[in-house]
Amino acid sequence: MGLLSDPNRRRALISLLTRLNAPICVVCYMAGVAWFMGLAFEPFTLRTYMSENAMGSTMVEERFPAGERALATGREFSAHKKKVGGMPVDWLVKTMQARGLEVFTQRFSRTLPFPDENKERYLVKGTNVYGILRAPRAPRTEALVLSAPCTPGDNNNQAVGLLLGLAQYFRNQVYWAKDIIFLVNEHDLIGMQAWLEGYHHTNTTGMDWSPLQGRGGSIQAALSLELSSDVITSLDLVLEGLNGQLPNLDLANLFYAFCQKIGVLCTIQGKLQRNDWDSVSGYSHSVQTMMLMVMKQASGRPWGDHGLFLRYHIEAATIKGINSFRQYKSDTTTIGRLLEGMYRKLNNLLERLHQSYFFYLMPSLSHFVSIGYYMPAFGLLAVILLLRALDLWVQLATPPPRTEDGVADTDTLIKSAPSQMSSPGVLSVLTPLVISHLTGVEVAVEHFPVSETEAVVLTAIAIYTAGLALPHNTHRLLSGEGTEQGWKVLKLVAVLYLAVLLGCTALINFSLGFILALTLVPVAAFVTPHVPKILSAFILVILSPACTLLFSVFFFQELQEMPVSFIDGWMLFLSVISQGILDHSLYGSLVYPLIALLVYPCWLLFWNILFWK
Amino acid sequence: MAAHRCSYSALLLIICSLSMFIVADSQETTLTGDNHATELDNPQTATETAGQMAEQPAVEERRLWEATEVEEATPDDADTDKQDTSTPETAVPSSVPQPKDDFQEELVIRPLHSGDIYASFQFRTLWETDFMRGNKVSHYRLFPKSLGQVISKFSVRELHISFTQGYWRTMQWGQPFLPSPPGAELWVWFQDSVTDVDGTWKELTNVLSGIFCASLNFIDSTNTVQPSASFKPLGIGNVTDHSFLRYATLPREIVCTENLTPWKKLLPCGSKAGLAVLLKSEKLFHSSFHSQAVHIRPVCQDWQCKTTSWELRQTLNVVFDLHTPGQGKREWSLFKMFSRTLTEACPLASSSKIYIDITDNPQGEQFEVSPATPLLSQAMVLGDRRTFSVYDLTQQITFGTVRSLNLLIRWKSSEGDMLRPLLHGERYVAGYGLQTGEIHTLMYNNHPYRSFPVLLLDSVPWYLRLYIHTLTVASKGKDNKPSYIHYQPSKDRVRPHLLEMLVQLPPNSVTEVTVQFERALLKWTEYTPDPNHGFYVGSSVISSLVPSIVAMDTNSTREQPLFSSFFPCKEESSYFVRVYTEPLLVNLPTPDFSMPYNVICLTCTVVAVGYGSLYNLLTRSFQIDEPSPGLAKRIANIIRKMRGVPPL
């Protein structure tokens, strides 16, 4: 790095970067977006392959015969469900016992912070029933989980029937090395959360549950089954979990391998795989699939019952049976055989699934994009922030009147920078920082005395918009007229803050980090007090986190091929906010607090800069 | 040298004993033949004697071996045996005392509540000898020589070793006759003459590892503890200084045929005759639970304890799953279970019996046993009065006309619910993430009105760093203060944590012991080849005197005379139980082992390029070097200096 040690060359480099700052930033932004869009192009991605040896080379035979009987059990279950008007606990206990399982129940109750209007629930009380199939000659150290939610109405009866059918079949096999837990959970995610908290004896969300009586050691993998029809056309794999966590890619590979072997159509994000990657429609198809995954992951909510397992380092996925109008149908026996095969291979595991990727995107079930490929897209966006910060730093370090040679320049840079930072800056920087964060806290604090969903959401939005008016007036009261130096220091701080924030977010949840970077980086790059106020304010609002969410809602609907009108979209937007708050308080999702406590205040800083004078 | 000196006496001894054996053998065969003849003549007397046996409770036996099973017949047997052999002994004049040994075998079959079948083999060899005095024991008859040498070389007072595959399901199967934890367990009391206990222990484990073909050589100081209260000697002798005790478990040990074969070789008849014929590995390892053990201890020969002898007990417990093989008809037979039938007793055995527990089935409503036997026996087992059908293999009549015994049980009822054993334990790891965690140990006292104390022993490897200040013991939501706590903190890479507590369990309650721990980051060579599997923590041991079911029975006055039943009988009021919890599988923070290459590359690059230049930037001050002036300029400057004009 003689480049930086040599003052002349360093000066040249810096002047190049400052002179060409704007064009370089634009190029980086374009390159980042282009890179990201390129990820979905099939020749640029890798084929999936099984990394885990224990699951790869061993062949298993699937012999599950009793699909019809499973359906009959499902019908019996639905009849009992109707009769009881909820979870038929006694019937399930008896049925599981008859199949030779050790059966236990768990009661739980939870009062939501405000009524959940999507699912129409407020006071939730329920019972989970689970049966453990003890593996012969195994010391209860490892377990696998197969779960099926007991949903109200006519949904998912077939899943419970198949679960019980598999339990009966598995019980008669001798090869099990891990205990298998068959779980029927009530109230979908809330029941699952209660069961997992009970199993691991943690309480992260303040739920009331009765302690579990039986356990099977550390859970190695879990599958959740959703099946609402007797025959299906395809199986859909859901991977996205809480806070954008994903299970090990080998689990997806396992599912894909067995779908291929047994001949079941399989989809991801509800999208079939296409072979015409070189055509425009084929490419846009895989872009859609990948974008759906990005949107779902960015939302940070569990997209199936499996999503909550991931917190406990248990690899889990949800398998959904889909019955559409296609000709080709698979019956329950086939799905049973598929699950049998998957469980036999999971049973063969010697170690936890760890060989394959944990960070990936899937443009189709057979291709994936690993972290090494998608991170540069984010890096190109993040580098814009650093370039802007460098530019500001140089501007701050070289005050306009002093035109000396390099020696004096570096000297002043070292000497003057801190003093300039401190003298007018501290107050003018700290004040907006504190005020914007206080606003963020105000948004984040859940105003729960109001027990109406609408009220909670509208309060949040109101505080959010009120925050726009608040901070840009305050610093003038404290420190008089804002100086040129002042906003530069503030912007420098804000830009670096945003860079760190987005960097950390992208490491944990790439999709969220990337979407935020896509909208916030341009804001951070162009905002100064000298740009035209009205237009810039408009752009700033358009690119604010809340509007990003609004656009995402529309975009997501578009991707799912269910476009909505503006009014519906607005209602959806409101419900998404309320779901975000609920997810946070029920399952510990971090997206809402992240936006409210960090991203929104950071954006307020840029708003502040715009109205500096 | 020593051999040469002793050769004369040894020769004499061999001659004497040889002659004596010939005489004794002939005597014995004739005697037993007579016995059979008489018993065949009048089976009535035989049943009477069996009844008598059943009436006498084996008090002294129970005192010594608290957690065992049907033993009431042994003193009588031993007595008759002594009488049998005493005749030849007096007949042959000999100066050398005759080492007397005796071998018994038995099989207890208990149809379990859950519908499974529990088969428990016990082989007992008694030998009146002394390994400890100076004289070397060199002649072995029934007692296996390999174990005898181990006892004398390592001055072992008591040795208990078990290999178990699977976990005993107390909730479905009740209490086992002999409990054992999953994996391998070894505990040894040494004689107080041993000076270097740790060294001897190390050698002993290596020798046993060879004898049993097991990985006992992995027992070292990091998994060995010295329990202060939980493991008392089961034989005679009142040494209670626990510095002579070593206890270790290997929860990961897998038990298979390679461990069974050497175990079978220790039997006098091998697997050639007697009950051991049934021990075929392809069937034994097709079960829900398999446990084999060897127990060696000194016991009293008679009730006055004038002479002591060594007892070797080999036990093998198997639980067969009935659900798996046949679905419709639930029936079970010796042949189905072991793929063999019995045709004879071991000729060397003084007694050879099969017991079938028919307590739950007095009128044959649960299951049906064939062939039926008139012999019944009652015994106190684990605080419960049980009734057994007895098949005596030493009698020809047992085998009937087909000359082979194939017991058959036909089930009539379906599977039962879960049991509520008076005491059982459970353990699990709570929490998530790879930094900390919490070990929960639950102890259930299901007795309706009696509380009893239990001793809890926990041995946790050093890589789980226990925060002992977070130890809580709570029952029914209230703090339950242990009356005795013995805690030995771990030392990294040297010794494990040892925690022993005496806790009073309130009636009908769950007592929860929790302690938090931190997961240590191991050195990279300390990881196992499969680090993502997790690391095992051995079972914790709960030992207790549990109030017996008989004493719990409030209607006990019905069948007994009133004068006998006011105070609960001492022997029956409580019994010893040891319960093992499940072992734990704990994940430790594991590096990605393909990483070192990347890390080396990355760190080298970072250090060389990044750090170097950054360090340069921060520490160097940059100045532009004036190019050195030419000669002419320098001369001009000198001149200007002399003139007093500023230089160029």
Side-chain angles (χ1 to χ4, degrees):
Chain A
M1 292 283 254
L3 204 60
L4 289 182
S5 308
D6 182 346
N8 287 323
R9 267 190 277 171
R10 178 163 61 168
R11 195 146 34 89
L13 184 71
I14 287 170
S15 71
L16 185 76
L17 282 180
T18 45
R19 200 151 32 86
L20 295 178
N21 201 289
I24 293 177
C25 287
V26 171
V27 167
C28 277
Y29 191 81
M30 305 294 242
V33 174
W35 186 293
F36 181 75
M37 296 310 283
L39 292 178
F41 191 50
E42 205 175 297
F44 295 166
T45 57
L46 293 173
R47 277 197 79 83
T48 52
Y49 54 91
M50 191 76 84
S51 300
E52 175 67 59
N53 283 330
M55 294 201 306
S57 58
T58 49
M59 298 302 290
V60 292
E61 252 178 48
E62 305 85 25
R63 292 180 176 170
F64 177 70
E68 285 307 313
R69 207 190 307 165
L71 287 180
T73 320
R75 281 191 286 274
E76 205 180 329
F77 170 74
S78 92
H80 282 272
K81 191 162 82 174
K82 269 199 199 106
K83 204 163 71 186
V84 183
M87 179 109 153
V89 176
D90 296 333
W91 181 82
L92 268 174
V93 168
K94 220 164 51 192
T95 319
M96 282 189 178
Q97 263 167 359
R99 279 154 175 72
L101 308 182
E102 276 180 35
V103 190
F104 307 93
T105 55
Q106 183 203 26
R107 282 191 313 282
F108 61 90
S109 68
R110 174 78 215 240
T111 313
L112 306 195
F114 53 86
D116 182 355
E117 293 196 340
N118 287 18
K119 295 192 171 149
E120 290 172 355
R121 56 190 182 190
Y122 181 54
L123 280 163
V124 180
K125 262 196 186 126
T127 312
N128 294 324
V129 180
Y130 66 104
I132 306 179
L133 163 57
R134 296 291 183 194
R137 295 186 311 289
R140 293 192 182 179
T141 47
E142 291 174 288
L144 302 172
V145 173
L146 175 60
S147 78
C150 166
T151 43
D154 262 346
N155 288 331
N156 230 22
N157 298 327
Q158 284 84 352
V160 177
L162 184 55
L163 176 125
L164 292 170
L166 281 173
Q168 184 165 22
Y169 175 74
F170 284 3
R171 177 68 179 83
N172 290 322
Q173 307 308 315
V174 292
Y175 40 66
W176 300 114
K178 298 172 172 52
D179 291 354
I180 300 179
I181 302 175
F182 296 91
L183 167 68
V184 180
N185 54 316
E186 204 176 357
H187 298 301
D188 44 64
L189 283 164
I190 296 181
M192 188 55 93
Q193 175 80 9
W195 190 79
L196 280 168
E197 287 194 350
Y199 196 93
H200 296 94
H201 208 286
T202 54
N203 204 339
T204 46
T205 56
M207 180 154 354
D208 285 327
W209 39 258
S210 60
L212 300 190
Q213 299 285 319
R215 284 184 176 76
S218 88
I219 301 174
Q220 305 288 306
L223 288 182
S224 178
L225 190 61
E226 290 179 21
L227 199 64
S228 298
S229 57
D230 291 0
V231 287
I232 55 136
T233 50
S234 62
L235 285 176
D236 188 44
L237 181 69
V238 186
L239 297 170
E240 299 84 5
L242 187 66
N243 291 327
Q245 270 186 294
L246 299 171
N248 196 286
L249 186 58
D250 267 346
L251 199 65
N253 295 341
L254 182 70
F255 172 76
Y256 182 60
F258 269 100
C259 283
Q260 299 290 81
K261 185 181 174 189
I262 292 182
V264 181
L265 281 180
C266 52
T267 60
I268 188 162
Q269 320 300 349
K271 305 248 179 213
L272 270 177
Q273 194 173 338
R274 286 170 62 154
N275 294 321
D276 52 341
W277 56 267
D278 44 355
S279 70
V280 175
S281 64
Y283 171 69
S284 79
H285 183 81
S286 60
V287 168
Q288 276 180 21
T289 316
M290 191 177 75
M291 283 313 293
L292 269 173
M293 179 156 186
V294 168
M295 301 306 273
K296 283 185 178 176
Q297 196 188 9
S299 75
R301 55 186 316 222
W303 285 82
D305 282 355
H306 73 282
L308 299 172
F309 281 93
L310 298 170
R311 175 201 294 261
Y312 302 92
H313 195 4
I314 299 166
E315 307 316 318
T318 296
I319 295 177
K320 271 185 190 161
I322 293 172
N323 195 12
S324 65
F325 300 108
R326 271 194 211 91
Q327 286 297 313
Y328 183 78
K329 307 264 184 195
S330 313
D331 60 354
T332 318
T333 313
T334 319
I335 308 166
R337 279 171 54 218
L338 181 117
L339 286 170
E340 182 202 352
M342 288 183 75
Y343 272 87
R344 284 197 66 177
K345 285 225 176 171
L346 289 172
N347 179 54
N348 288 346
L349 279 182
L350 298 174
E351 303 181 58
R352 273 174 188 283
L353 286 173
H354 70 284
Q355 301 275 14
S356 197
Y357 294 89
F358 285 96
F359 296 95
Y360 54 87
L361 294 175
M362 297 195 93
S364 71
L365 249 181
S366 63
H367 286 79
F368 75 102
V369 182
S370 79
I371 184 167
Y373 287 83
Y374 66 58
M375 240 14 198
F378 174 79
L380 283 169
L381 296 188
V383 89
I384 295 173
L385 296 176
L386 298 183
L387 282 174
R388 297 307 296 183
L390 182 77
D391 188 32
L392 282 169
W393 176 262
V394 172
Q395 283 181 26
L396 282 168
T398 50
R402 296 177 72 172
T403 46
E404 284 175 50
D405 55 10
V407 190
D409 186 17
T410 40
D411 271 350
T412 44
L413 188 138
I414 292 162
K415 279 181 201 158
S416 63
S419 61
Q420 284 192 350
M421 292 277 267
S422 58
S423 56
V426 171
L427 208 60
S428 66
V429 172
L430 264 186
T431 325
L433 264 179
V434 169
I435 289 172
S436 55
H437 278 91
L438 283 179
T439 323
V441 170
E442 194 64 19
V443 177
V445 166
E446 291 137 355
H447 302 272
F448 289 149
V450 282
S451 61
E452 280 299 317
T453 321
E454 300 263 312
V456 172
V457 174
L458 291 177
T459 320
I461 295 175
I463 298 170
Y464 183 93
T465 22
L468 303 188
L470 187 67
H472 62 269
N473 286 324
T474 44
H475 71 94
R476 255 175 279 166
L477 298 175
L478 286 166
S479 58
E481 193 61 32
T483 58
E484 191 72 6
Q485 292 287 335
W487 75 260
K488 280 185 179 166
V489 173
L490 179 61
K491 188 173 173 188
L492 178 63
V493 169
V495 164
L496 289 177
Y497 179 26
L498 185 65
V500 171
L501 183 64
L502 290 181
C504 294
T505 311
L507 281 181
I508 299 163
N509 185 346
F510 166 77
S511 303
L512 184 61
F514 188 78
I515 290 177
L516 287 176
L518 220 49
T519 54
L520 288 180
V521 165
V523 169
F526 87 87
V527 122
T528 60
H530 306 299
V531 288
K533 286 272 176 329
I534 313 289
L535 182 66
S536 312
F538 179 70
I539 293 173
L540 217 58
V541 168
I542 290 293
L543 294 178
S544 80
C547 288
T548 310
L549 180 62
L550 185 63
F551 299 141
S552 300
V553 167
F554 283 107
F555 185 50
F556 183 71
Q557 292 299 324
E558 200 66 38
L559 283 173
Q560 283 200 317
E561 292 159 9
M562 289 187 290
V564 286
S565 67
F566 185 79
I567 298 299
D568 289 347
W570 176 254
M571 297 312 290
L572 213 54
F573 169 69
L574 295 185
S575 87
V576 162
I577 294 177
S578 73
Q579 287 299 314
I581 301 174
L582 273 179
D583 282 350
H584 169 59
S585 61
L586 288 181
Y587 320 119
S589 159
L590 291 174
V591 174
Y592 184 75
L594 176 84
I595 302 287
L597 288 176
L598 297 172
V599 177
Y600 170 64
C602 193
W603 177 85
L604 273 186
L605 290 179
F606 294 110
W607 183 258
N608 198 351
I609 290 163
L610 182 65
F611 295 100
W612 187 258
K613 288 189 173 135
Chain B
M1 296 292 280
H4 181 70
R5 248 183 281 138
C6 311
S7 62
Y8 180 68
S9 56
L11 196 70
L12 196 116
L13 192 134
I14 289 168
I15 293 166
C16 284
S17 50
L18 258 180
S19 60
M20 209 164 56
F21 269 126
I22 295 159
V23 178
D25 277 357
S26 59
Q27 288 270 340
E28 255 180 351
T29 43
T30 51
L31 252 175
T32 44
D34 285 350
N35 265 350
H36 285 311
T38 50
E39 272 167 15
L40 276 174
D41 285 344
N42 45 352
Q44 250 190 335
T45 49
T47 47
E48 273 174 22
T49 48
Q52 278 172 3
M53 283 180 209
E55 273 170 23
Q56 297 177 352
V59 178
E60 115 220 61
E61 190 60 36
R62 293 205 50 77
R63 199 186 308 141
L64 296 175
W65 184 266
E66 285 150 318
T68 56
E69 69 298 0
V70 210
E71 271 305 331
E72 88 292 349
T74 41
D76 296 59
D77 280 0
D79 284 349
T80 50
D81 213 47
K82 216 188 293 170
Q83 281 161 15
D84 285 354
T85 44
S86 62
T87 20
E89 228 174 287
T90 47
V92 180
S94 170
S95 56
V96 187
Q98 161 65 26
K100 196 167 58 106
D101 45 7
D102 171 55
F103 174 68
Q104 297 174 332
E105 54 179 12
E106 74 183 32
L107 164 63
V108 184
I109 293 171
R110 174 189 277 185
L112 292 170
H113 202 68
S114 60
D116 300 321
I117 293 283
Y118 174 31
S120 171
F121 292 86
Q122 289 226 14
F123 303 92
R124 186 170 89 142
T125 312
L126 269 177
W127 192 14
E128 193 184 313
T129 184
D130 195 350
F131 289 112
M132 293 312 149
R133 296 218 189 101
N135 58 339
K136 274 203 168 158
V137 181
S138 53
H139 179 69
Y140 290 83
R141 201 174 81 101
L142 298 177
F143 204 90
K145 186 173 180 182
S146 54
L147 289 182
Q149 284 176 332
V150 165
I151 296 170
S152 57
K153 173 146 198 286
F154 298 107
S155 305
V156 172
R157 168 180 292 278
E158 236 177 67
L159 185 148
H160 303 270
I161 184 167
S162 74
F163 300 97
T164 307
Q165 184 73 18
Y167 181 73
W168 183 268
R169 305 171 195 169
T170 319
M171 291 292 274
Q172 283 151 316
W173 300 340
Q175 299 288 354
F177 294 139
L178 272 174
S180 55
E185 183 197 40
L186 173 67
W187 55 288
V188 175
W189 278 92
F190 290 98
Q191 300 281 358
D192 44 10
S193 56
V194 179
T195 48
D196 177 18
V197 181
D198 287 317
T200 320
W201 167 251
K202 183 79 200 146
E203 273 183 63
L204 175 69
T205 52
N206 279 286
V207 168
L208 288 175
S209 165
I211 291 178
F212 291 104
C213 261
S215 331
L216 296 175
N217 51 331
F218 283 107
I219 292 177
D220 54 10
S221 67
T222 58
N223 49 20
T224 303
V225 290
Q226 302 173 33
S228 65
S230 293
F231 289 88
K232 289 292 169 204
L234 297 176
I236 51 172
N238 49 6
V239 182
T240 49
D241 180 2
H242 65 269
S243 62
F244 294 104
L245 169 65
R246 291 293 180 277
Y247 173 84
T249 53
L250 295 175
R252 212 186 167 169
E253 181 72 16
I254 288 167
V255 186
C256 204
T257 47
E258 71 207 22
N259 307 107
L260 182 68
T261 314
W263 183 90
K264 278 197 293 193
K265 280 185 184 163
L266 300 175
L267 296 171
C269 290
S271 49
K272 301 284 188 295
L275 291 174
V277 174
L278 301 177
L279 304 176
K280 290 290 168 202
S281 51
E282 76 268 18
K283 284 291 180 185
L284 287 185
F285 290 104
H286 194 291
S287 56
S288 297
F289 175 83
H290 171 96
S291 168
Q292 60 190 64
V294 170
H295 302 275
I296 300 172
R297 57 175 180 169
V299 294
C300 287
Q301 185 67 7
D302 45 23
W303 68 274
Q304 286 172 317
C305 216
K306 276 180 193 156
T307 51
T308 62
S309 52
W310 285 86
E311 183 199 63
L312 165 69
R313 246 178 221 261
Q314 286 179 257
T315 64
L316 190 141
N317 296 303
V318 193
V319 175
F320 290 99
D321 186 359
L322 273 182
H323 206 282
T324 310
Q327 289 176 22
K329 274 196 297 181
R330 298 209 314 158
E331 63 172 38
W332 158 94
S333 67
L334 276 190
F335 186 78
K336 239 183 181 172
M337 262 200 315
F338 302 106
S339 70
R340 291 287 184 286
T341 56
L342 286 169
T343 50
E344 54 169 351
C346 171
L348 297 170
S350 61
S351 108
S352 175
K353 283 178 180 153
I354 297 181
Y355 296 84
I356 295 186
D357 192 335
I358 52 163
T359 319
D360 302 328
N361 188 34
Q363 263 78 50
E365 69 268 19
Q366 292 255 335
F367 51 83
E368 181 186 318
V369 186
S370 72
T373 175
L375 287 176
L376 286 181
S377 157
Q378 274 212 338
M380 284 290 299
V381 188
L382 299 168
D384 197 4
R385 196 174 285 119
R386 316 287 302 184
T387 318
F388 297 90
S389 300
V390 185
Y391 296 83
D392 192 347
L393 299 185
T394 52
Q395 295 173 18
Q396 277 308 312
I397 194 167
T398 316
F399 298 105
T401 49
V402 288
R403 304 234 150 253
S404 87
L405 176 65
N406 182 21
L407 284 171
L408 191 75
I409 290 183
R410 273 190 205 88
W411 286 90
K412 291 176 179 169
S413 64
S414 59
E415 275 179 61
D417 294 344
M418 274 190 232
L419 289 174
R420 277 170 65 85
L422 288 186
L423 171 68
H424 82 107
E426 232 180 70
R427 197 152 72 131
Y428 62 92
V429 179
Y432 59 91
L434 287 177
Q435 194 188 359
T436 56
E438 199 168 32
I439 296 180
H440 286 239
T441 311
L442 302 177
M443 293 179 288
Y444 292 82
N445 175 3
N446 287 332
H447 200 286
Y449 57 89
R450 288 268 290 273
S451 72
F452 53 83
V454 296
L455 261 172
L456 175 71
L457 169 86
D458 241 330
S459 161
V460 181
W462 63 266
Y463 40 77
L464 302 189
R465 303 208 166 102
L466 292 187
Y467 293 152
I468 202 69
H469 71 277
T470 60
L471 178 75
T472 56
V473 184
S475 19
K476 288 181 173 172
K478 273 180 277 179
D479 216 25
N480 185 348
K481 201 170 181 303
S483 46
Y484 166 77
I485 292 189
H486 172 70
Y487 176 66
Q488 189 185 35
S490 72
K491 276 186 193 159
D492 278 6
R493 298 174 181 84
V494 176
R495 70 173 188 212
H497 302 267
L498 170 68
L499 178 62
E500 273 186 292
M501 285 190 291
L502 186 67
V503 186
Q504 187 82 16
L505 303 188
N508 208 1
S509 71
V510 189
T511 302
E512 189 165 22
V513 179
T514 60
V515 60
Q516 290 177 11
F517 64 86
E518 186 187 77
R519 301 164 204 242
L521 193 60
L522 302 186
K523 290 179 181 167
W524 68 285
T525 48
E526 287 168 343
Y527 285 96
T528 50
D530 54 350
N532 283 291
H533 178 67
F535 291 76
Y536 283 84
V537 179
S539 310
S540 47
V541 189
I542 303 165
S543 328
S544 170
L545 280 173
V546 174
S548 76
I549 301 159
V550 176
M552 211 167 100
D553 189 8
T554 44
N555 286 334
S556 60
T557 45
R558 263 197 315 216
E559 293 148 21
Q560 292 169 9
L562 290 178
F563 61 82
S564 70
S565 58
F566 183 63
F567 294 108
C569 174
K570 180 80 178 104
E571 268 69 43
E572 294 180 347
S573 65
S574 59
Y575 62 101
F576 182 79
V577 164
R578 186 165 282 156
V579 175
Y580 291 93
T581 64
E582 48 270 78
L584 302 176
L585 187 60
V586 182
N587 277 85
L588 295 186
T590 311
D592 177 359
F593 287 100
S594 65
M595 214 56 182
Y597 170 75
N598 303 344
V599 169
I600 290 166
C601 292
L602 191 73
T603 41
C604 289
T605 318
V606 166
V607 167
V609 180
Y611 175 74
S613 53
L614 199 69
Y615 184 72
N616 265 345
L617 277 176
L618 290 175
T619 52
R620 263 191 216 164
S621 63
F622 296 99
Q623 288 170 353
I624 291 188
D625 215 12
E626 292 288 325
S628 63
L631 184 67
K633 201 173 183 181
R634 253 186 280 171
I635 295 169
N637 273 344
I638 292 166
I639 296 167
R640 285 173 83 106
K641 202 176 179 182
M642 284 192 298
R643 282 170 55 197
V645 189
L648 284 170

